[in-house]
């Protein structure tokens, strides 16, 4: 006669309670706290504990103090120096306002979808880049390691740029500014202007000779530049102190480092619009050249800018989002941060062209004055007839319009002899067409314009303090892309790892503060990130959409967000984004192959830049940077594919005791390596079958085991219990 079901249940419950008592009786008698703790299986309401992940105790993970702090962190990471000195250059080079059209299209096609993807996987799995891709597919765990390597390479030279900004910031507290005039050289007989400065300009000379004290080639080290070495040390100390406590310390700094640049940009825009010639610069900027949009190069450069502007592939986006709550609306975050980034670039472009328009107007006025004097000399010498000059022209106070009128008349009358006269057209557009980007814009063109500002030291202090804050915001995300994955994976103390990482980076970074250091910055900028990051993001897209499955991923998003994302993202992730990324990768490889690898060296004798090809060892370094950055992907794949590292965890499960709870940690997904979290609550996870298994202490194990979260816990295995037949259940 079969047993009554209630009797069976009561007997099973009694046996389970007895087994738990046995477990407690086997514990160390001195551990009173453990004995007194109450063992509870997590229920559905305890959402902070990530039972399904089976990785660590999730309520131990730090979290952002507020949504604003998190948004500012993502904005600070994505909005960087490239928004100020790269985006305006691309606008100027690729059709002015017309460039915004391909940029916006590509932002919608690859920018927002891929940014949303990284935010989603980081928030869902709550791990850094290594843990995220290990969880999706252990064979693709190398993607996370590759992101860390790229972040490290970028951090090495990016902090050097912050060091340069710190140097200029420290030199801005004097009037006149030290780069306002060319220095004078005295000898026994007379005083004269420094020849190198006279051949170039005061700001150019100060940058290359006073700040960098640059050598003439990559092979000529010239020793350390002690001024820049101190600035680099200061930059790394700032980063270390801000990151040493993780988001608890860096998150608070974000309120200043992320918001202050906008204050400065708005102040510069208002001041710039009041300057003579600023409107000419803005008009030049937004005058569209629609025919340029048909060139493939414009679309390639727009795609590259979108890709790097949002920080895709670095791991910083994933790291920051991993500290969010599960139900955070990361879709809203992706759209918001992407458009804040875009409008910041447009704002910076307005500021840059307003200031460059003012600078071009000053240079044009000097050009008009100098060439008017030439015309007067030619009139006195009889080379030009007074009859050619309109009667209303007064050379003592000639305007740019009057000069252009006289210039056109002389050019038509003296067509054959015109070139020998040596006159210049003096057009503002010619000066604005001179494309300047990167350090040339920030440390030469912009600094020269600020020397003409009233109260120029104040504006210089504000500008370089803004550059420092922009750089630090990006550095926080870059370092977080290194620290968070390593801490999550190897369970090391974040404080110790941060100090070690910053120390190692500083000592390696000494190669960038040699006299030839600027050439190494160019090398790392060109070769350490572009191709590796493209490959990393392509693999990220494949891992989520192909290996894990686009349909399951959309279900996860629905569970996490509380609503179904638009099907637009389905088609972007599955078809459009991978195709565009592959095209961008091929185009970048072709461009790299067509462009001769080299750098622009500063030649002291001629005071000009001259293109030099990399020496053989330099080419080896360039290739090594790209190979080292992507090498973790095939290495981890082969290690996991060939089972070269034994997984000692086996197919059993473990239990960690923490705060009186049993935290279930399944360590073998039995081939389900491509599973993300399916949006189930803890109560939906299949519970242990007490009829067949009970918890018992692992035979031969020590009293205390180190739990995967780095804290002491007790490890237990699920043991077969042959005494109770399965039919009794």
């Amino acid at each position: 006669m079969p047993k009554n079901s209630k009797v069976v249940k009561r007997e099973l419950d009694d046996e389970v309670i007895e087994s738990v008592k046995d477990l407690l009786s086997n514990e160390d008698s001195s551990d009173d706290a453990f004995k007194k703790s109450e063992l509870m299986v997590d229920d559905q309401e305890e959402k902070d504990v990530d039972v399904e992940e089976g990785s660590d105790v999730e309520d131990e993970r730090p979290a952002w103090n507020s949504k604003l702090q998190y948004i500012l962190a993502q904005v600070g990471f994505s909005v960087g120096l490239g928004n100020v000195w790269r985006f305006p250059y691309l606008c100027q080079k690729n059709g002015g306002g017309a460039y915004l059209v391909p940029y916006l299209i590509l932002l919608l096609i690859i920018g927002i979808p891929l940014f949303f993807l990284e935010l989603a996987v980081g928030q869902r799995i709550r791990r850094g880049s290594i843990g995220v891709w290990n969880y999706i597919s252990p064979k693709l765990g190398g993607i996370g390691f590759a992101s860390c390597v790229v972040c490290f390479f970028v951090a090495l030279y990016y902090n050097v740029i912050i060091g340069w900004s710190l140097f200029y910031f420290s030199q801005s507290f004097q009037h006149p500014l030290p780069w306002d005039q060319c220095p004078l050289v005295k000898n026994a007989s007379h005083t004269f202007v420094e020849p190198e400065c006279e051949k170039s300009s005061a700001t150019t000379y100060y940058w290359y000779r006073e700040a960098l004290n640059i050598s003439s080639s990559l092979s000529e080290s010239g020793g350390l530049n002690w001024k820049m070495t101190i600035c680099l040390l200061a930059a790394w100390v700032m980063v270390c102190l801000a990151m040493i406590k993780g988001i608890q310390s860096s998150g608070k700094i974000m309120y200043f480092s992320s918001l202050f640049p906008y204050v400065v940009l708005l102040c510069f825009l208002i001041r710039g619009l009041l300057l003579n010639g600023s409107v000419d610069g803005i008009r030049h900027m937004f005058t569209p050249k629609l025919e340029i949009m048909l060139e493939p190069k414009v679309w390639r450069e727009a795609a590259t800018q979108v890709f790097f502007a949002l920080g895709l592939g670095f791991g910083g986006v994933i790291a920051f989002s991993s500290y969010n709550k599960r139900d955070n609306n990361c879709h809203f975050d992706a759209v918001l941060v992407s458009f804040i980034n875009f409008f910041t670039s447009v704002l910076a472009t307005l500021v840059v062209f307003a200031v460059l328009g003012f600078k071009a107007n000053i240079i044009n006025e000097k050009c008009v004055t100098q060439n008017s004097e030439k015309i007067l000399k030619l009139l006195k010498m009889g080379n030009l007839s007074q009859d050619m000059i309109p009667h209303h022209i007064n050379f003592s106070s000639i305007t740019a319009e009057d000069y252009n009128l006289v210039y056109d008349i002389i050019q038509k009358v003296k067509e054959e002899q015109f070139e020998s006269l040596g006159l210049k057209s003096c057009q503002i557009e010619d000066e604005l067409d001179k494309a300047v980007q990167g350090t040339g814009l920030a440390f030469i063109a912009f600094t020269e314009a600020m020397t003409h500002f009233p109260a120029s030291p104040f504006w210089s202090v504000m500008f370089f303090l803004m550059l420092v804050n922009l750089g630090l915001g990006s550095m926080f995300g870059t370092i977080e892309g290194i620290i968070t994955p390593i801490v999550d994976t190897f369970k090391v103390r974040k404080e110790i790892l941060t100090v070690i990482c910053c120390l190692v980076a500083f000592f390696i970074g000494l190669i960038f503060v040699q006299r030839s250091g600027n050439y190494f910055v160019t090398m790392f900028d060109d070769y350490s990130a572009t191709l590796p990051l493209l490959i990393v993001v392509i693999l990220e897209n494949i891992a989520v959409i192909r290996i894990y499955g686009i349909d399951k991923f959309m279900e996860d998003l629905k569970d996490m967000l509380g609503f179904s994302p638009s099907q637009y993202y389905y088609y972007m992730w599955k078809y459009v984004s991978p195709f565009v990324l592959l095209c961008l990768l091929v185009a970048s490889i072709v461009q790299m192959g067509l462009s001769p690898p080299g750098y622009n060296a500063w030649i002291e004798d001629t005071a000009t830049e001259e293109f030099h090809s990399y020496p053989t060892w330099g080419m080896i370094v360039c290739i090594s940077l790209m190979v080292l950055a992507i090498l973790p992907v095939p290495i981890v794949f082969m290690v996991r594919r060939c089972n070269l590292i034994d997984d000692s965890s086996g197919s059993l499960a473990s239990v960690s005791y923490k705060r009186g709870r049993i935290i279930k940690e399944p360590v073998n997904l039995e081939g389900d390596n491509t599973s993300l979290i399916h949006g189930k609550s803890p109560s939906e996870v299949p519970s242990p079958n007490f009829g067949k298994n009970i918890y018992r202490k692992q035979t031969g194990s020590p009293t205390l085991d180190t739990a995967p979260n780095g804290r002491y816990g007790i490890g237990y295995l699920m043991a077969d219990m042959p005494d109770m037949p399965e039919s009794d259940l």
Side-chain angles (χ1 to χ4, degrees), residues 20-132:
V20 174
K21 290 180 179 179
D22 291 339
L23 294 179
L24 291 176
S25 65
N26 288 331
E27 295 302 325
D28 188 352
S29 59
S30 63
D31 194 358
D32 295 333
F34 183 88
K35 286 183 177 182
K36 293 178 181 178
S37 64
E38 180 183 358
L39 293 174
M40 299 179 299
V41 178
D42 297 324
D43 57 29
Q44 184 175 356
E45 294 177 356
E46 291 175 337
K47 295 180 180 180
D48 291 338
V49 181
D50 191 7
V51 176
E52 267 187 86
E53 282 186 274
S55 50
D56 285 330
V57 181
E58 288 299 322
D59 58 356
E60 281 290 298
R61 192 167 187 81
W64 297 102
N65 291 335
S66 65
K67 182 66 176 283
L68 176 61
Q69 191 180 90
Y70 164 68
I71 293 296
L72 290 178
Q74 290 286 17
V75 169
F77 175 52
S78 64
V79 175
L81 298 172
N83 297 76
V84 175
W85 67 34
R86 176 71 179 167
F87 189 89
Y89 160 75
L90 291 174
C91 282
Q92 181 185 30
K93 177 184 175 185
N94 296 318
Y99 174 76
L100 300 179
V101 176
Y103 185 88
L104 270 175
I105 292 173
L106 290 166
L107 181 67
L108 295 174
I109 291 176
I110 62 173
I112 295 177
L114 293 175
F115 192 60
F116 180 27
L117 185 145
E118 289 200 357
L119 288 178
V121 295
Q123 179 175 308
R124 190 62 167 172
I125 302 177
R126 303 191 75 185
R127 287 292 174 271
S129 55
I130 296 176
V132 162

Side-chain angles (χ1 to χ4, degrees), residues 476-488:
F476 294 157
T478 304
I479 297 298
E480 198 70 54
I482 303 171
I483 301 297
T484 297
I486 295 177
V487 169
D488 288 343

Side-chain angles (χ1 to χ4, degrees), residues 118 133 142-148 150 307 312-315 530-542 581 629-630 633:
E118 289 200 357
W133 306 116
I143 297 175
F145 288 99
S147 294
C148 290
V150 174
F307 185 85
L312 300 175
F314 281 93
T530 307
L531 290 182
L533 281 179
L534 279 171
I535 295 172
V536 163
V537 175
I538 290 172
L539 291 176
E540 288 180 357
N541 196 292
I542 293 173
L581 287 173
I630 208 63
V633 175

Side-chain angles (χ1 to χ4, degrees), residues 148-291:
C148 290
V149 173
V150 174
C151 281
F152 186 72
F153 285 159
V154 171
L156 288 176
Y157 73 86
Y158 204 87
N159 223 23
V160 175
I161 301 174
I162 298 177
W164 293 342
S165 302
L166 285 173
F167 174 77
Y168 269 79
F169 172 74
S170 65
Q171 298 299 307
S172 298
F173 293 92
Q174 46 187 309
H175 185 76
L177 292 169
W179 50 83
D180 185 33
Q181 300 291 335
C182 284
L184 299 176
V185 180
K186 297 181 180 180
N187 59 17
S189 57
H190 62 284
T191 301
F192 57 93
V193 177
E194 170 64 46
E196 185 180 0
C197 183
E198 192 174 22
K199 294 175 184 176
S200 54
S201 68
T203 51
T204 304
Y205 173 82
Y206 190 87
W207 165 242
Y208 283 115
R209 190 56 52 211
E210 296 294 334
L212 300 181
N213 193 18
I214 199 165
S215 62
S216 58
S217 72
L218 182 70
S219 302
E220 183 184 337
S221 168
L224 290 177
N225 181 342
W226 67 267
K227 292 181 290 187
M228 288 304 170
T229 303
I230 294 174
C231 291
L232 179 63
L233 177 61
W236 276 115
V237 168
M238 292 169 64
V239 171
C240 184
L241 292 177
M243 297 297 300
I244 197 165
K245 292 294 184 181
I247 62 171
Q248 276 75 19
S249 55
S250 65
K252 295 179 176 62
I253 299 175
M254 288 296 178
Y255 287 109
F256 179 77
S257 64
S258 297
L259 294 176
F260 180 75
Y262 291 97
V263 175
V264 177
L265 285 174
L266 288 173
C267 291
F268 263 98
L269 180 61
I270 295 171
R271 184 69 188 91
L273 291 175
L274 299 176
L275 296 172
N276 186 28
S278 60
V279 177
D280 295 326
I282 294 177
R283 182 172 59 247
H284 179 83
M285 154 64 201
F286 283 104
T287 301
K289 301 173 184 176
L290 299 177
E291 66 279 2

